[in-house]
Amino acid sequence: MAKIAIITVAAAVSVGLHLVNDLYAPEPEVLYHTAHASAPEFDWHSLEPSTEIKWTSCYNDQKCARLLLPLDYLSEDLSGPTTAIALRMIPARDRTNYRGTVLINPGGPGGSGTDLLARAGKNISTIVGDSFDVLGFDPRGVGASIPTLNCFSSKGQRDIWLTQEGHQFLNTSDEALLGLYRARQRVVGDRCAESDGGEEGIARFMSTASVATDMLKITEKLGQEKLHYWGFSYGTILGQYFTAMYPDKVGRVIIDGVYDAYNYRGALWNSNLLDNEAVINSLFTYCHEAGPLKCALYESSPGKIRERYYRVLDRVERDPIPVPHAEPPLLITRKALVNQIFRAAYKPINTYGTVVDTIRAIETANQTALTALAPKIVDPTECACRTELPQIVENDAFSAIACGDGEERTYDPEAYKAYYADLTSDAPNAGPFWAVHFLQCTEWSVRPKWRYTGPLAAANTSHPILILQPKFDPVCPLRDALAVRERYGGAGLLVQNSYGHCSMSAPSVCTAKHVRAYMEDGRLPEEGTVCEPDELPFVGQVSDARAMSGEDATLSEALRGLSEVVPMFGA
């Protein structure tokens, strides 16, 4: 197999969220096989779709099914086209005190819930409690659900396209470069419109309103009166939609790492990065706090560590670093290093060490170290010649969902320059990557058959929702979570005093206990509750694991596992 090393904004933003096991996400197909090296393969297409949930044993101790649901919920033709939704469940271990099924969504938009269950389901099950099933589903158009949206004829074709972008940041002061970025989004938008099949293509039926209704139907088919749900990242948008559309069907609904659905529905993407620089700067603070034995970039103050980091970036900008013996060969550019720290900010505990190792290897011209680090500096792409089971491959769902849900946007040069300036003022590192989202939607022409335009609010719900939010999230700021809380009557808020995306980015037994209390007993945290993390970047464990009770130790282990699979919203 030939391999191509790429670092592109299109690679970073066009596919939406993927859950990562290390610094960067391999293709979802690779993730799936890695996570299930010891589990038997499963052919989703061997499952006959049904209008009822017919469980089949799969992956040793789990259950799988494909549920037929209406493609068009606005159609009066009950025998019209359908979509087959892939379901994968870990059954509850405690059947005596059985409390129902919790649906999970990894975000994206376009993330695979069956894949999230593969890598995080057992840890989520430990946290919510043994009396719940945990069910991951692939939203319509995504993963093992069919039909899927594919704007390229193969994974290899998509990968080749992504290699063409180059090493320059998007910059509105460079008209030629801006033109290149716009043209690339136009190519993808045109291909998707042509390949999707027109009026009956899946892209017209992938809206969040449709997926929220799918969740209602799945819940009903399970025999439950109300939805139990834990949604991460974009999954918080889905949770806001569901709660607004079906407030009397809320059982236990958790939204974790919150993006304001009004900003999302406006296709603005300009509230996300408020705290991004604070998260990146935490690397320098924690490095200083940990000391020279734990952080190789240690200096006498966080400011000096920061200066040292950016000196390396300035040097690489003038003189990129070739790594000829990496497989595939690698060229380290400033864009590659900024993308590395941007993505590392999603889960600092697990990835800041890699950032430090990279900078130190560049400082010392250590080619052996850079060769070993190469897959964590630039996301390697493998050109596979065949598709293996379980046929969960990357698709092009992000724009269909995010741009379809949003207001129609047209490109205005002056307005976009002002937009870009505001975004990069908040987040000079992440802004050039994030600003592509707006361009994606200006060049996306497929409009959904059903787009929810009602209030994204609910004064009364059948049970209050629970909002989990890190104090400093790189792409979903606390400000958004606070705004969302005000719109949903009685909602509880738990702030985790941590850096990273979603609560799972920093293990906290305190947070896990509140989740368990909410799921099992419906109890919300007291007003003003703040949970501390049990571990910090570089510093390590700050709680005494040896003093933990058996239950706390079990929760801690599950949380540590979850911290490896933090959602990569919009990255």
Side-chain angles (χ1 to χ4, degrees):
M1 293 182 182
K3 294 183 178 180
I4 305 169
I6 59 172
I7 180 66
T8 68
V9 172
V13 298
S14 65
V15 298
L17 174 155
H18 294 303
L19 297 171
V20 292
N21 287 324
D22 212 310
L23 181 57
Y24 289 129
E27 297 299 334
E29 185 176 6
V30 178
L31 275 176
Y32 205 107
H33 290 298
T34 301
H36 283 278
S38 61
E41 293 293 1
F42 183 74
D43 182 3
W44 282 95
H45 295 304
S46 69
L47 280 181
E48 183 178 353
S50 172
T51 55
E52 302 296 327
I53 297 177
K54 296 181 178 180
W55 293 116
T56 296
S57 296
C58 59
Y59 304 107
N60 293 329
D61 57 350
Q62 299 175 19
K63 302 291 184 183
C64 294
R66 289 204 294 168
L67 176 64
L68 286 175
L69 292 173
L71 187 68
D72 181 2
Y73 280 113
L74 301 185
S75 173
E76 296 180 358
D77 182 5
L78 299 180
S79 61
T82 58
T83 176
I85 304 299
L87 312 175
R88 180 173 174 176
M89 183 177 73
I90 296 176
R93 292 183 290 272
D94 181 357
R95 307 304 297 184
T96 303
N97 302 297
Y98 181 68
R99 290 181 169 90
T101 302
V102 181
L103 276 63
I104 56 176
N105 180 276
S112 163
T114 62
D115 186 61
L116 175 62
L117 191 92
R119 291 171 294 107
K122 291 186 177 179
N123 290 323
I124 291 174
S125 178
T126 297
I127 293 168
V128 300
D130 291 346
S131 57
F132 290 97
D133 307 316
V134 177
L135 187 155
F137 69 100
D138 288 350
R140 48 179 58 210
V142 172
S145 292
I146 55 173
T148 56
L149 177 64
N150 287 296
C151 307
F152 294 85
S153 60
S154 68
K155 173 184 176 297
Q157 187 185 72
R158 183 187 291 105
D159 292 342
I160 292 168
W161 165 250
L162 293 176
T163 65
Q164 297 179 26
E165 186 178 271
H167 296 286
Q168 291 180 286
F169 292 102
L170 171 62
N171 187 341
T172 56
S173 64
D174 185 331
E175 294 292 341
L177 187 60
L178 178 57
L180 171 67
Y181 273 91
R182 283 195 63 211
R184 287 183 60 80
Q185 297 307 322
R186 194 176 310 123
V187 166
V188 175
D190 289 349
R191 285 187 64 90
C192 289
E194 292 170 4
S195 65
D196 187 48
E199 290 297 306
E200 297 303 318
I202 186 63
R204 295 197 69 225
F205 302 95
M206 292 172 65
S207 71
T208 297
S210 294
V211 179
T213 306
D214 289 344
M215 290 204 299
L216 177 65
K217 299 300 182 183
I218 292 168
T219 300
E220 292 173 348
K221 295 291 184 180
L222 290 168
Q224 284 184 200
E225 183 182 353
K226 294 178 171 62
L227 172 74
H228 301 325
Y229 174 74
W230 192 350
F232 306 92
S233 197
Y234 159 80
T236 70
I237 299 290
L238 181 55
Q240 291 171 67
Y241 270 67
F242 182 93
T243 305
M245 294 169 66
Y246 306 109
D248 59 335
K249 295 296 182 179
V250 174
R252 305 285 189 267
V253 169
I254 302 174
I255 55 176
D256 188 343
V258 178
Y259 178 26
D260 188 333
Y262 277 126
N263 190 279
Y264 167 82
R265 194 169 68 182
L268 296 172
W269 297 91
N270 63 356
S271 73
N272 305 86
L273 303 182
L274 179 68
D275 295 328
N276 190 273
E277 281 296 298
V279 180
I280 288 175
N281 286 333
S282 73
L283 184 153
F284 315 121
T285 300
Y286 285 125
C287 177
H288 178 258
E289 184 178 336
L293 296 180
K294 292 185 176 181
C295 182
L297 295 184
Y298 176 81
E299 296 286 351
S300 59
S301 71
K304 289 184 177 180
I305 299 170
R306 187 180 189 278
E307 290 172 5
R308 182 175 175 180
Y309 174 82
Y310 283 105
R311 275 199 305 271
V312 171
L313 265 62
D314 291 342
R315 172 190 154 196
V316 168
E317 185 172 17
R318 295 189 302 269
D319 188 13
I321 308 293
V323 188
H325 300 298
E327 291 294 340
L330 169 66
L331 185 66
I332 300 176
T333 64
R334 186 184 184 109
K335 183 178 175 183
L337 295 179
V338 171
N339 191 59
Q340 184 191 53
I341 199 169
F342 167 47
R343 298 182 71 166
Y346 283 71
K347 49 182 210 171
I349 288 172
N350 288 280
T351 56
Y352 274 179
T354 301
V355 174
V356 165
D357 290 344
T358 300
I359 297 300
R360 185 61 184 146
I362 293 172
E363 286 181 331
T364 57
N366 187 334
Q367 277 289 328
T368 301
L370 290 174
T371 298
L373 286 165
K376 299 179 182 181
I377 301 171
V378 170
D379 197 6
T381 297
E382 186 173 85
C383 295
C385 297
R386 63 190 182 91
T387 300
E388 300 177 353
L389 296 177
Q391 295 125 353
I392 293 183
V393 295
E394 180 183 331
N395 62 29
D396 303 287
F398 180 90
S399 292
I401 302 169
C403 301
D405 281 338
E407 301 287 349
E408 286 192 77
R409 294 290 174 187
T410 56
Y411 180 76
D412 177 272
E414 295 307 313
Y416 186 69
K417 286 180 180 179
Y419 172 88
Y420 181 89
D422 288 344
L423 205 59
T424 53
S425 175
D426 278 346
N429 286 296
F433 296 104
W434 207 258
V436 177
H437 285 311
F438 194 93
L439 290 182
Q440 282 178 280
C441 292
T442 62
E443 303 301 335
W444 184 261
S445 62
V446 181
R447 299 305 296 167
K449 180 73 177 294
W450 179 25
R451 176 176 174 266
Y452 176 70
T453 57
L456 290 163
N460 296 293
T461 56
S462 50
H463 193 277
I465 67 172
L466 173 60
I467 297 172
L468 303 182
Q469 184 67 33
K471 189 173 182 180
F472 296 99
D473 188 306
V475 290
C476 292
L478 176 58
R479 183 179 66 183
D480 276 20
L482 293 172
V484 169
R485 185 200 182 181
E486 293 301 311
R487 298 202 297 266
Y488 291 89
L493 171 66
L494 187 150
V495 174
Q496 185 170 284
N497 188 25
S498 62
Y499 293 81
H501 187 38
C502 302
S503 68
M504 65 168 68
S505 62
S508 171
V509 171
C510 169
T511 298
K513 285 183 172 180
H514 282 291
V515 169
R516 175 77 65 85
Y518 174 76
M519 293 303 302
E520 290 188 344
D521 304 322
R523 284 189 284 121
L524 293 171
E526 292 184 8
E527 182 69 23
T529 296
V530 176
C531 280
E532 297 295 329
D534 299 322
E535 187 175 349
L536 299 175
F538 302 116
V539 176
Q541 197 81 15
V542 291
S543 60
D544 189 352
R546 295 168 300 178
M548 287 184 178
S549 67
E551 178 65 18
D552 286 3
T554 299
L555 288 173
S556 180
E557 183 179 357
L559 291 164
R560 196 66 186 81
L562 283 181
S563 71
E564 298 289 337
V565 291
V566 173
M568 293 293 289
F569 178 46

